[in-house]
């Protein structure tokens, strides 16, 4: 009977608890809510303010960029001289592949290569012997004529086999679902078709179309993809059937330094991981087109010669100075 009595008392305690709980929860919520909201606001506000300030700075840099003037000094300017998509693809590959080193020198060498090949690049590239004859004696830094010949002939063969270089890349991306793997497969196809893979110990042959799966930021390849994939806006051409959301920002010394200075990444060095981190941060501002800031930012970096510390002279007038870690004091 004692056990039964204890059992009968329990429901009354539960009833009391059930009746009391809603009011207790409500009272607790009313008392706690303001503090919880305040704590959440305090925690969120700095990041929200920082993100808003960075986006405003980036949008300002992009809006103020003298696009036509800067495009004339950019390797993409060569692509805009052509109207046939097949020519544009090949010219873009040549220009991006030669785009390293001194700006004046690389522009001269891109121009020289294109002048040698003539106005109809794709038609010329159908004849490997003609390409070799036209480029005989060509040199640019570590590249020799046979490196550029292999690049052009291989690209043209892949272009003809797939209908376009863009179609070949899009097929690899659809197959793998991964940008890096797709780009690696696309690169290997061109290298095989042009015979570059038959010279594995040749530095020029290896560098002119590098393997993106080795860990570097693959800046020149990312530059090519940006030109070909981003919507036509006076700089990029929007020729390839790939969404801009798939892109990674081309990371050179300017973008690496700017990305670090404004907190888009804490990494140092032009690596694939750095490109991923900077792009992930930019995706928070525009998920559909994260690398739209690249052209303006890169040219800002070149103009400002962005330093790694506070420099009142070199930082004067910089559009991202308000959100730069060196001035955030």
């Amino acid at each position: 009977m004692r056990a039964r009595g204890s059992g009968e008392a329990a429901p009354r305690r539960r009833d009391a608890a059930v009746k009391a709980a809603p009011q207790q929860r409500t009272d607790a919520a009313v008392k706690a809510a303001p503090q919880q909201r305040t704590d959440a606001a305090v925690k969120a506000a700095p990041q929200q303010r920082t993100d808003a300030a960075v986006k405003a700075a980036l949008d300002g840099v992009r809006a103020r960029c003298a696009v036509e003037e800067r495009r004339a000094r950019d390797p993409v300017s060569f692509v805009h001289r052509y109207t046939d998509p097949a020519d544009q693809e090949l010219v873009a590959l040549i220009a991006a592949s030669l785009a390293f080193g001194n700006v004046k020198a690389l522009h001269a060498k891109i121009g020289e290569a294109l002048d040698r090949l003539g106005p109809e690049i794709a038609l010329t590239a159908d004849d490997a012997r003609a390409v070799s004859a036209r480029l005989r004696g060509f040199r640019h830094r570590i590249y020799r004529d046979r490196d550029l010949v292999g690049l052009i002939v291989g690209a043209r063969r892949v272009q003809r086999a797939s209908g376009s270089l863009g179609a070949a890349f899009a097929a690899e991306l659809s197959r793998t679902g991964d940008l890096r793997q797709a780009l690696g497969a696309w690169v290997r196809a061109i290298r095989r078709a042009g015979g570059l893979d038959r010279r594995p110990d040749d530095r020029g042959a290896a560098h002119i179309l590098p393997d993106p799966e080795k860990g570097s930021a693959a800046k020149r390849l990312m530059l090519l993809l940006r030109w070909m994939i981003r919507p036509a806006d006076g700089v990029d051409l929007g020729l390839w059937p790939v969404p801009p959301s798939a892109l990674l920002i081309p990371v050179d010394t300017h973008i690496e330094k700017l990305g670090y200075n404004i907190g888009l990444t804490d990494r140092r060095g032009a690596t694939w991981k750095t490109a991923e981190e900077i792009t992930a941060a930019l995706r928070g501002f525009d998920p559909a087109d994260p690398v739209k800031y690249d052209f303006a930012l890169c040219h800002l970096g070149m103009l400002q010669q962005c330093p790694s510390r506070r420099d009142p002279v070199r930082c004067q007038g910089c559009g991202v100075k308000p959100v730069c870690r060196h001035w955030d004091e």
Side-chain angles (χ1 to χ4, degrees):
M1 294 296 293
R2 186 175 301 165
R4 184 180 181 89
S6 299
E8 289 174 351
R12 288 196 292 271
R13 288 197 297 272
R14 283 198 297 270
D15 290 344
V18 169
K19 289 178 181 178
Q23 184 61 41
Q24 290 170 349
R25 284 198 300 269
T26 302
D27 292 345
V30 169
K31 291 178 181 177
Q35 185 60 41
Q36 290 169 348
R37 286 196 299 269
T38 301
D39 290 346
V42 168
K43 291 178 181 177
Q47 185 62 40
Q48 290 169 351
R49 284 197 301 270
T50 300
D51 288 348
V54 172
K55 185 178 187 305
L58 294 175
D59 288 339
V61 167
R62 191 164 182 257
R64 290 189 297 272
C65 182
V67 172
E68 290 188 14
E69 177 187 344
R70 300 311 304 176
R71 191 185 80 178
R73 304 180 185 187
D74 193 278
V76 76
S77 62
F78 291 99
V79 189
H80 287 273
R81 299 178 186 179
Y82 298 79
T83 57
D84 187 293
D87 289 335
Q88 288 176 320
E89 284 189 324
L90 293 175
V91 172
L93 181 60
I94 294 167
S97 297
L98 299 181
F100 77 104
N102 177 271
V103 173
K104 186 176 181 180
L106 70 86
H107 270 256
K109 284 300 179 179
I110 294 169
E112 178 191 338
L114 297 178
D115 287 344
R116 284 172 175 248
L117 292 166
E120 297 178 300
I121 305 292
L123 185 62
T124 300
D126 283 331
D127 186 341
R129 289 185 178 180
V131 175
S132 182
R134 290 179 184 231
L135 292 176
R136 186 170 293 121
F138 178 87
R139 291 192 174 193
H140 174 50
R141 296 177 68 90
I142 63 171
Y143 301 148
R144 299 296 181 264
D145 46 13
R146 62 178 182 170
D147 302 323
L148 190 54
V149 170
L151 175 73
I152 295 167
V153 171
R156 177 56 176 162
R157 288 171 177 169
V158 170
Q159 188 182 60
R160 292 188 64 183
S162 299
S164 72
L165 290 176
F169 176 72
E172 291 294 348
L173 187 60
S174 177
R175 180 181 67 83
T176 64
D178 180 83
L179 177 68
R180 195 174 184 182
Q181 291 180 30
L183 190 57
W186 183 83
V187 162
R188 287 191 293 275
I190 293 175
R191 290 179 59 80
R192 283 194 303 270
L196 292 171
D197 63 333
R198 293 196 290 273
R199 293 189 281 126
D201 298 324
D202 188 312
R203 189 179 173 202
H207 189 272
I208 199 165
L209 200 60
D211 182 355
E213 298 188 64
K214 288 188 175 180
S216 78
K219 175 255 180 177
R220 290 172 297 134
L221 289 170
M222 292 300 108
L223 192 61
L224 170 69
L225 295 188
R226 199 205 81 204
W227 293 348
M228 296 290 97
I229 293 171
R230 278 205 68 254
D233 61 357
V235 177
D236 301 320
L237 292 95
L239 295 179
W240 289 5
V242 175
S245 58
L247 293 171
L248 286 185
I249 193 166
V251 175
D252 60 6
T253 56
H254 303 296
I255 293 297
E256 184 265 335
K257 194 172 291 184
L258 278 168
Y260 176 79
N261 285 353
I262 64 176
L264 301 180
T265 181
D266 286 326
R267 291 180 177 273
R268 305 311 306 263
T271 66
W272 189 272
K273 284 290 187 182
T274 302
E276 285 183 324
E277 283 196 4
I278 294 175
T279 306
L282 294 174
R283 195 170 285 122
F285 306 137
D286 190 338
D289 190 11
V291 305
K292 70 181 184 184
Y293 298 104
D294 175 59
F295 181 79
L297 274 179
C298 184
H299 282 271
L300 172 70
M302 288 190 285
L303 284 169
Q304 297 289 151
Q305 289 296 302
C306 187
S308 298
R309 57 183 175 80
R310 181 182 290 210
D311 187 323
V313 175
R314 287 166 65 182
C315 297
Q316 181 66 34
C318 178
V320 298
K321 181 179 174 182
V323 294
C324 177
R325 69 172 70 212
H326 302 304
W327 292 90
D328 186 20
E329 293 182 1

